[in-house]
Structures are given as C-alpha cells and as structure tokens.
Amino acid sequence: MKLKSLILSTALAALAGGASAEGIKVGMITTLSGGGAGLGIDVRDGFMLAIAQSGRNDIEVVIEDDQRKPDIAVQLADKLIQSEKVDVMTGIIWSNLAMAVIPSSVAQGKFYLSPNAGPSVLAGKGCHQNYFNVAWQNDNLHEAAGAYAKGAGYTNSFIMAPNYPAGHDALTGYKRMYEGELAGEIFTKLGQTDYASEIAQIRASGADSVFFFLPGGMGISFLKQYADSGIELPVVGPAFSFDQGILQAVGDAALGVVNTSQWNKDIDNPTNAAFVETFQAEYDRLPSLYASQGFDTANLLISALETASPDDADAFRAALEAADFDSTRGDFAFGSNHHPVQDIYAREVIKEGDVYTNKIIGVALEDHSDAYAADCSF
C-alpha cells in the first residue's frame, strides 16, 4: 500500500464513521516543500507506515505543509484546532516553528507529540504536561558529539550552527560535554548555502577539529564545499547532516565522518529490523533518522489509544507516559519532563555497494536524559 493509498484509506475510514465518530483526529503540520522538505516527508512516511501496520481504522490524519515558515505553521495550527477539531498534533521539524505552534496548542488542551524539534525552553521552564517529545531534546545529539570529541582527544574545535533556537541549543550541547578550547564559534543564516567565508575562517583558526550542525540542504552544501577546500581537519557532527536522506547527495565527502544519533538501521532488535525492511519495501529507499522518529511517534500514540482516549486527558497522558510500545531504538522511556532517556551512538559514514550509509561504532552517551528536566514542573 503506497503513501497516497495510506492517506486515502485513513480518510475514508473517518468518513465511514471510524475516526471522527469513535476514534481520534491527528493534525500533522510538517515541512513538505522547499528547503528541508525531505525531513518532513520522512517523518510523514514513517508515521503513516506505523498507522497502516496497526490495522486501525479509527485514526484520521490531516496532513498540512508548513513550508518551513512560522506564520504558515501558526495559521495551519489554528485551522486544525478550531476547524478540524483535532485531538492530537504532531509533525513539526524546525524549532522556530515549534516555538510558534506548540505552546498555544497545548494551552488549548491539545496533546502534542513531537517527532523531531525539541527546544530547550520546552524541556525546562516552558514544559507542559501535554507536550511529549519522542525524538530527543535539541542538545542531546550535540552533547554526544562533544563527548566523542573529548574522548578522541580534540582540544581546539571550531564550531558552527544556524542562528535559530536549535542552532543555539546545538552549540550549547556540544560545549557542555566537550570541555576543550574553541578556535571559533559562529552562527550562520538559516537556509544558507554558500560557506566560503566560514571555511576561510576555519582555515585561519588553528583548529584541530570542526563541529557543525547544518541540517538538510545546508549540510550538503557545507560538506561539499569543505571537501573541495582541501582542509583536512576531522569533522564531527550530529546525525542531521549525515543522515540517510542526504548522504547520497553529499557522496564521498562524508566518508569516514563520525556523527551521533539515537537511531541507526543496524540497531539490533526485531522492531527495528522489521521497520527498516518494511519502510524500504514501501517507499523504495532506506529509512532515515526522521522516518524512525515518525514511526516511533505513531506507535506511541497507538499504544496510548489501546488504554485511553484523549477525551480523558489524565488517563491518556498516563498512557503516553507509560510508553508501552516497541521502539525502533529498543528500550524507550520518558524522563520527568516527557523527553526521552536513551542511548546516543557514535556512527561512521560508510559505503555499502553504491549506497552511502552509517554504521554504529560505539555508544557516546548511555541512558542519557537532558540538562533541563530539573527546571520542568507540571
């Protein structure tokens, strides 16, 4: 069953009296066009695969494209909440959009299950009992990169990220675990594609390593330009710039780079093996980190619906907190602020035949939570 059929069958079930009358309606706002569309497409496809595999006909999913624009995301959230009367919301990729949508959504009594963005504010003082992040808190993968860099003996990193909430969280997370000196620290423009100036600064900095967080097309552009520059400093980063969806575009420039992630296709458990196999069969591509997060988010939702309805907010919240589902990551649990406690791995970019991919080379952080949970009080 291909994606259009998945969405159509879900909608038909609702029209037949399933989702709208007795089940629930989910509003998914994600990025499906423009820069970063691949991330939203992967979250959507992973989520819808899990819905289809569940066999349930009582979940209606209304999917909207935010175009990576906060004002559009806010308009869509108003539509989904006020007109579509959704029970649960999900899907946002970018932290600036999350900050524009999530606080007002949960304030109106909706549950929000994040398959990606995890701004520090929403993990700490701005947390909410109806907000759950199924992926990570923004700092986490960058903290793991910092821990790896420290263990590798790097002592003078040049670090860079885009100037938006997740970019600030990224550099904060890296520095928290790295503990070495900084040869340079810069914020780039979100959506930037020309990195000649930044690469010149790296060349002149005296750095012994480079850490960057540039998700999607930004990472593709930087890595290609960095490789062409002839600079041979080792590069470390989070999975967002080395994930399955973009490695083919980066090519040889990414080979050997160590990056950090809470998921990879070679995590050894039956759920993950089945997910990788069925996703590839359904969509004719290997799943990415984002696809796994969409898949886990849908399965968390499905597990909660087995015991409670969003109409009974307290019972549904308790069912979500229990996280009684089989995750692609293996063991899964929420911390006190509804963010995951999980292992974060070091991965290396390799080539399998003609396909660029990652393999796990070690655990960078074990049973890792986040630095903001103590500031969260529901």
Side-chain angles (χ1 to χ4, degrees):
M1 187 184 294
K2 297 302 180 185
L3 176 62
K4 290 182 179 178
S5 299
L6 294 182
I7 298 172
L8 178 60
S9 66
T10 308
L12 289 175
L15 292 173
S20 59
E22 299 175 359
I24 71 159
K25 183 180 283 190
V26 178
M28 176 181 285
I29 301 171
T30 197
T31 305
L32 302 174
S33 62
L39 285 61
I41 289 169
D42 279 357
V43 162
R44 177 199 65 188
D45 289 354
F47 190 95
M48 295 306 296
L49 179 64
I51 297 294
Q53 290 179 352
S54 74
R56 298 184 68 118
N57 65 0
D58 59 347
I59 304 173
E60 179 183 0
V61 184
V62 182
I63 301 173
E64 299 283 2
D65 177 15
D66 59 36
Q67 304 171 48
R68 208 174 75 177
K69 297 176 180 178
D71 57 333
I72 298 296
V74 170
Q75 294 171 21
L76 292 172
D78 289 344
K79 171 190 170 185
L80 290 173
I81 292 171
Q82 297 169 16
S83 300
E84 295 286 351
K85 307 296 184 185
V86 299
D87 303 289
V88 176
M89 294 184 65
T90 190
I92 289 178
I93 300 297
W94 306 93
S95 289
N96 53 332
L97 274 67
M99 290 304 301
V101 167
I102 293 172
S104 62
S105 299
V106 294
Q108 295 177 72
K110 304 303 176 184
F111 285 88
Y112 195 96
L113 309 182
S114 177
N116 199 67
S120 55
V121 172
L122 299 183
K125 293 180 180 179
C127 68
H128 192 280
Q129 61 181 356
N130 288 352
Y131 169 68
F132 292 77
N133 189 296
V134 191
W136 24 254
Q137 190 279 315
N138 278 355
D139 300 21
N140 288 165
L141 270 59
H142 314 290
E143 290 170 331
Y148 173 82
K150 179 182 177 181
Y154 303 147
T155 60
N156 196 29
S157 288
F158 190 103
I159 64 176
M160 57 188 288
N163 189 16
Y164 79 120
H168 288 264
D169 288 345
L171 299 194
T172 297
Y174 182 81
K175 289 185 288 186
R176 183 177 292 124
M177 296 294 185
Y178 161 62
E179 298 179 356
E181 299 295 323
L182 295 179
E185 178 178 4
I186 55 176
F187 290 101
T188 62
K189 183 179 179 180
L190 185 63
Q192 182 173 325
T193 57
D194 184 350
Y195 294 95
S197 175
E198 289 79 7
I199 289 172
Q201 292 180 61
I202 292 170
R203 189 189 301 276
S205 69
D208 66 0
S209 54
V210 176
F211 167 81
F212 76 93
F213 163 58
L214 295 168
M218 294 179 284
I220 296 172
S221 297
F222 173 76
L223 275 172
K224 286 185 171 182
Q225 292 166 40
Y226 185 81
D228 289 342
S229 75
I231 299 174
E232 297 184 354
L233 296 176
V235 174
V236 179
F240 315 119
S241 297
F242 303 94
D243 206 54
Q244 200 61 51
I246 66 172
L247 280 178
Q248 313 320 306
V250 175
D252 286 349
L255 285 174
V257 172
V258 174
N259 61 97
T260 50
S261 178
Q262 88 284 10
W263 178 84
N264 201 54
K265 66 182 179 66
D266 58 352
I267 292 178
D268 188 13
N269 67 67
T271 298
N272 194 48
F275 163 67
V276 172
E277 180 180 356
T278 57
F279 187 95
Q280 190 168 17
E282 183 66 38
Y283 301 111
D284 197 29
R285 67 183 191 274
L286 284 171
S288 69
L289 170 75
Y290 306 101
S292 76
Q293 293 166 184
F295 188 79
D296 277 355
T297 300
N299 279 319
L300 169 68
L301 171 66
I302 292 163
S303 73
L305 290 173
E306 293 294 329
T307 60
S309 165
D311 291 338
D312 185 345
D314 289 341
F316 189 67
R317 187 180 308 112
L320 290 170
E321 290 172 341
D324 186 19
F325 72 103
D326 293 326
S327 170
T328 58
R329 287 164 259 181
D331 293 339
F332 183 96
F334 284 117
S336 61
N337 61 346
H338 294 170
H339 285 66
V341 179
Q342 60 191 343
D343 292 346
I344 302 177
Y345 302 95
R347 314 186 304 180
E348 182 181 351
V349 180
I350 62 170
K351 196 171 184 181
E352 294 179 345
D354 295 329
V355 178
Y356 298 92
T357 189
N358 288 282
K359 69 174 181 179
I360 291 174
I361 59 173
V363 178
L365 292 172
E366 188 173 358
D367 290 333
H368 188 61
S369 181
D370 63 83
Y372 307 99
D375 295 327
C376 173
S377 178
F378 297 138

